[in-house]
Amino acid sequence: MVHLSEETLSELLEGESVTGAKEHLASCPVCRGELEALRRLRSELRELPELDAPPELWSRIEARLPVGGRARGTRRGWRSQIAMQVAALAAVFVLGLGLGRMFAPGDQAGPGSQLVSERAAATSLADAMAEVRRLGAQYDAALRNLEQLAAQEGAPTPSLAEQRLASLDALVEASRTALSVEPADPVLNSYLFAALEERAAVLRQMRVQQGSGSEVLWR
Amino acid sequence: MVDLTEATLVRRARAGELEAMRELYERHASRVYTVVRRLAGDNDLAADLAQDAWASAFQKIREFRGEAAFGTWVHRIAVNTALTQLRQAARRRNLEQGFDGSSTQGNPDRWPASGAAERVTIQRALDLLPDGYRSVLWLHDVEGYTHEEIGARLGIAVGTSKSQLAKARARLRALVTESRAEVVDHGAS
């Protein structure tokens, strides 16, 4: 007797109708047994227990997650970069403010120390953006201090001028990094534009100062 | 951690909270690992696949809109990850026939040594199947995929999927029968 093929048995297992198969099964205990065995096997497959994941698997996954300064997705990445660059920028401003305080009488506990304590909390996009905004204001404050400083005898104006330029470079870079992800953001664009304009003004002043030999670098 | 709803965990995971990701992982780790382990037929490969699947899921969790349960979504990612990598591995080994159905040969290094008195459980028998057979069998008989869905995921024709399934069932049946016969022989001697 010719038995049913594996394809036919498989089709029967799926409930399909195959010409002549029903009659064959009625007269062939071998094929009936085979079909029943396949049915049992399928049930056993479905009843296989769930497996426990290896205990070390989470640590391997964690190392690739977009959090905690490790491998990051694009959006988280630029937020982090902004936060870090803002932090670096803040340090420059704090230095400028601190020097300003040193040379300016009174007002000892100024925004510089406040900036240092607040900086550590800038871990989200909102924080980073707030820091960028605050740095704009801090930059202006630092500038005012440095202007006063420049007017005083013994002020270290050349190095502070370079710091001012470096600060603006950092602000430009931070803005450009953010804009690479959010090119249409109006706030970021305004910061980039303002920083570039300010930087150009500083360079113009430095060229004028170099030409005239003047020690006054600030506005 | 407080018992949070899955929607809350997903929202927090989207925001980059590691603890939320960990909790989502803990809830679905077994299900994900099981499916990739069944498809891979190998513990080390399964761990790699699970790692890739979870990393992929968390990297694109912003795309998860909640139309399906998170577990269903990550399970689908796991299946796709496993199938993609198994196909790539087969291509590298020039063993595409394991997926197109033209061969009934399994991966030789997974077969037990001749005469070994190894008890082959269903799981072990599954591991011994060629990758293509195992994938089609598991996806169809356990995961409930149709032949059309399997064909689309594996890049094979519907008819090939049906043929693979028939051969996989027959091969699995033979492996289990052989194994049980060996156990009886050794038990009697």
Side-chain angles (χ1 to χ4, degrees):
Chain A
M1 177 183 283
V2 177
H3 295 296
L4 297 176
S5 68
E6 60 190 24
E7 284 80 12
T8 300
L9 288 168
S10 192
E11 287 171 349
L12 292 171
L13 189 62
E14 292 194 49
E16 294 181 17
S17 175
V18 180
T19 306
K22 191 176 176 182
E23 293 75 14
H24 178 84
L25 283 175
S27 63
C28 180
V30 174
C31 287
R32 278 202 308 276
E34 194 64 24
L35 184 58
E36 183 52 36
L38 289 174
R39 190 169 283 121
R40 275 200 309 274
L41 204 54
R42 186 174 62 181
S43 296
E44 290 178 59
L45 267 182
R46 290 171 176 169
E47 289 164 7
L48 281 174
E50 271 200 351
L51 303 170
D52 289 333
E56 78 284 359
L57 186 56
W58 172 252
S59 60
R60 292 172 57 183
I61 295 165
E62 188 181 5
R64 293 174 55 184
L65 292 183
V67 291
R70 298 187 182 93
R72 286 169 173 268
T74 308
R75 292 182 67 83
R76 292 284 304 173
W78 84 263
R79 288 182 196 183
S80 173
Q81 288 175 33
I82 289 292
M84 290 173 65
Q85 292 191 43
V86 165
L89 201 54
V92 176
F93 289 144
V94 168
L95 179 59
L97 286 166
L99 285 170
R101 295 283 177 270
M102 269 180 8
F103 288 90
D107 192 19
Q108 293 301 311
S113 55
Q114 183 189 0
L115 186 61
V116 170
S117 63
E118 289 172 353
R119 179 80 297 283
T123 55
S124 69
L125 174 61
D127 286 342
M129 287 299 296
E131 287 299 325
V132 171
R133 290 190 184 93
R134 184 157 51 228
L135 284 173
Q138 294 291 342
Y139 180 78
D140 290 337
L143 204 55
R144 283 193 296 275
N145 285 331
L146 292 170
E147 283 174 340
Q148 292 174 9
L149 184 61
Q152 294 174 20
E153 190 178 354
T157 45
S159 65
L160 290 174
E162 289 167 8
Q163 277 190 13
R164 184 184 176 197
L165 199 59
S167 301
L168 287 165
D169 285 341
L171 188 56
V172 166
E173 183 59 28
S175 302
R176 280 181 171 155
T177 301
L179 282 165
S180 68
V181 179
E182 299 286 348
D185 187 286
V187 176
L188 290 173
N189 274 294
S190 69
Y191 272 100
L192 176 61
F193 180 77
L196 287 171
E197 200 171 46
E198 184 77 5
R199 187 178 183 281
V202 170
L203 287 171
R204 277 196 304 274
Q205 287 173 346
M206 289 178 79
R207 279 197 294 273
V208 169
Q209 184 268 331
Q210 283 168 353
S212 67
S214 168
E215 291 296 319
V216 179
L217 298 176
W218 316 108
R219 296 192 192 240
Chain B
M1 175 178 280
V2 182
D3 189 19
L4 299 171
T5 65
E6 197 141 284
T8 302
L9 288 171
V10 168
R11 191 170 61 249
R12 292 186 175 185
R14 272 202 199 114
E17 283 190 27
L18 187 61
E19 277 306 307
M21 294 182 195
R22 175 71 185 257
E23 179 64 21
L24 286 169
Y25 167 79
E26 294 290 351
R27 290 187 183 194
H28 303 286
S30 291
R31 186 181 178 196
V32 166
Y33 179 73
T34 298
V35 72
V36 297
R37 174 62 183 80
R38 300 295 186 221
L39 291 170
D42 175 271
N43 288 336
D44 292 339
L45 179 57
D48 290 345
L49 292 172
Q51 180 187 343
D52 288 347
W54 279 106
S56 173
F58 286 130
Q59 280 160 9
K60 57 185 181 186
I61 196 168
R62 289 172 184 279
E63 298 171 19
F64 175 64
R65 298 294 175 221
E67 289 94 350
F70 177 80
T72 304
W73 182 72
V74 74
H75 181 270
R76 192 159 54 231
I77 289 174
V79 169
N80 290 339
T81 300
L83 295 182
T84 300
Q85 294 194 24
L86 287 171
R87 286 184 68 192
Q88 288 170 347
R91 209 170 286 129
R92 282 196 297 273
R93 295 195 310 262
N94 291 322
L95 290 175
E96 290 91 339
Q97 62 267 34
F99 274 98
D100 68 16
S102 62
S103 169
T104 57
Q105 297 298 307
N107 187 343
D109 59 13
R110 287 190 188 151
W111 288 87
S114 177
E118 184 180 354
R119 180 189 172 103
V120 180
T121 62
I122 295 284
Q123 181 172 316
R124 176 66 179 149
L126 192 64
D127 291 348
L128 293 174
L129 291 177
D131 289 347
Y133 286 7
R134 188 174 50 253
S135 297
V136 173
L137 179 67
W138 188 262
L139 291 175
H140 186 278
D141 279 3
V142 181
E143 300 290 332
Y145 283 63
T146 65
H147 287 295
E148 286 75 15
E149 290 169 331
I150 292 169
R153 278 171 172 75
L154 296 183
I156 59 177
V158 169
T160 303
S161 176
K162 289 183 177 179
S163 170
Q164 290 261 51
L165 178 61
K167 287 182 166 63
R169 285 168 168 166
R171 176 65 67 85
L172 189 72
R173 160 103 171 100
L175 283 168
V176 171
T177 303
E178 270 175 37
S179 163
R180 287 173 180 166
E182 274 191 28
V183 170
V184 171
D185 284 350
H186 283 269
S189 61

